[in-house]
Amino acid sequence: MKKYKIIDWIPGIISELVAAVFCLIYSLIDGEKNTLFLQVLGAALLPFLFPVFTLISKKRFPVILPILCAIFVFFACDLGTAMNFYDKIHCWDLIMHGVFGFVCSLIVFVFLLRWNGRKLNSAGFMVIIFAFTMGIAALWEVFEYISSCITGEDVQRVLESISMGKSPVADTMEDIMIAMAGSAIFYNTLFVDKLLNYKMYSKLQDQA
């Protein structure tokens, strides 16, 4: 196997190993939520998406993408879920949704380049990135709701919202709007990169 192909798998391997360590720590500290183990270990598989697509399409994705996914999973799931940072740090949830909006928009951007997105006009290109990002953010909220219904656990943190005097619906809407803000930040970086003659994102385009 070529060296670059091995490198592409490393972020996912590290992500899964780190997730397993944090699951072990959680089991020793608390261990009450059985679905947490599935959630944390399952999310750690996300960086593997890119080398798998590379095998299927025979075209390599930039290694920065699985690295970014692994970092996001670490903060959102290993620290946020397993170590309960969402309760310990009040703004942690909003920060993670904002980061998600940025990272997801970047990933969709690269995938669009792979799927001949250069043929689209600039407006259409931006609209598709935004629509995909918001759609995935909404699907995540649906996933949390279904998980709450199946397991009986408060995955959506409804009780927490009520105890704080907030509407659970408002909390969900805030999550989606913060993801929207993260996507907007990505657009701003694209604009800045354009002013710099595409010195940053051109590297992603060359590999896509």
Side-chain angles (χ1 to χ4, degrees):
M1 182 180 289
K2 294 181 180 180
K3 182 179 179 180
Y4 76 83
K5 291 185 178 180
I6 297 176
I7 292 175
D8 291 345
W9 292 93
I10 290 177
I13 295 172
I14 294 176
S15 179
E16 199 64 41
L17 290 175
V18 171
V21 170
F22 275 90
C23 282
L24 177 61
I25 295 173
Y26 172 77
S27 66
L28 296 175
I29 296 175
D30 191 336
E32 292 184 359
K33 298 180 181 179
N34 293 325
T35 55
L36 180 142
F37 299 99
L38 180 60
Q39 181 180 354
V40 173
L41 293 173
L45 294 174
L46 184 60
F48 286 116
L49 172 68
F50 303 98
V52 168
F53 265 92
T54 296
L55 288 177
I56 295 173
S57 65
K58 306 302 181 183
K59 295 181 180 180
R60 188 189 181 206
F61 282 89
V63 71
I64 187 63
L65 296 184
I67 291 175
L68 283 177
C69 285
I71 293 173
F72 176 74
V73 168
F74 171 74
F75 283 101
C77 295
D78 298 340
L79 295 183
T81 303
M83 295 294 98
N84 205 24
F85 273 34
Y86 291 118
D87 288 333
K88 296 176 181 178
I89 302 176
H90 176 64
C91 61
W92 195 261
D93 185 51
L94 293 179
I95 293 173
M96 289 300 100
H97 279 88
V99 173
F100 165 81
F102 180 90
V103 173
C104 186
S105 294
L106 175 61
I107 292 173
V108 174
F109 169 77
V110 176
F111 267 89
L112 278 178
L113 293 177
R114 181 62 53 83
W115 294 332
N116 296 322
R118 294 182 181 87
K119 296 180 179 179
L120 295 171
N121 61 49
S122 299
F125 196 86
M126 295 299 112
V127 168
I128 292 176
I129 291 175
F130 180 78
F132 262 93
T133 301
M134 292 301 98
I136 295 172
L139 283 175
W140 177 256
E141 297 297 330
V142 171
F143 168 75
E144 287 186 340
Y145 173 77
I146 294 175
S147 298
S148 296
C149 292
I150 294 176
T151 65
E153 297 177 359
D154 190 16
V155 178
Q156 287 187 293
R157 311 171 75 83
V158 173
L159 296 179
E160 177 185 333
S161 297
I162 294 175
S163 67
M164 296 173 60
K166 293 174 58 179
S167 166
V169 175
D171 185 70
T172 299
M173 291 299 101
E174 285 179 3
D175 291 344
I176 294 178
M177 287 188 289
I178 291 297
M180 186 185 303
S183 184
I185 292 174
F186 169 75
Y187 288 142
N188 287 329
T189 63
L190 271 181
F191 177 74
V192 171
D193 192 43
K194 181 178 180 180
L195 296 179
L196 297 175
N197 198 27
Y198 300 104
K199 291 182 179 180
M200 180 171 59
Y201 287 119
S202 61
K203 297 179 180 179
L204 298 179
Q205 297 182 45
D206 291 341
Q207 294 187 44

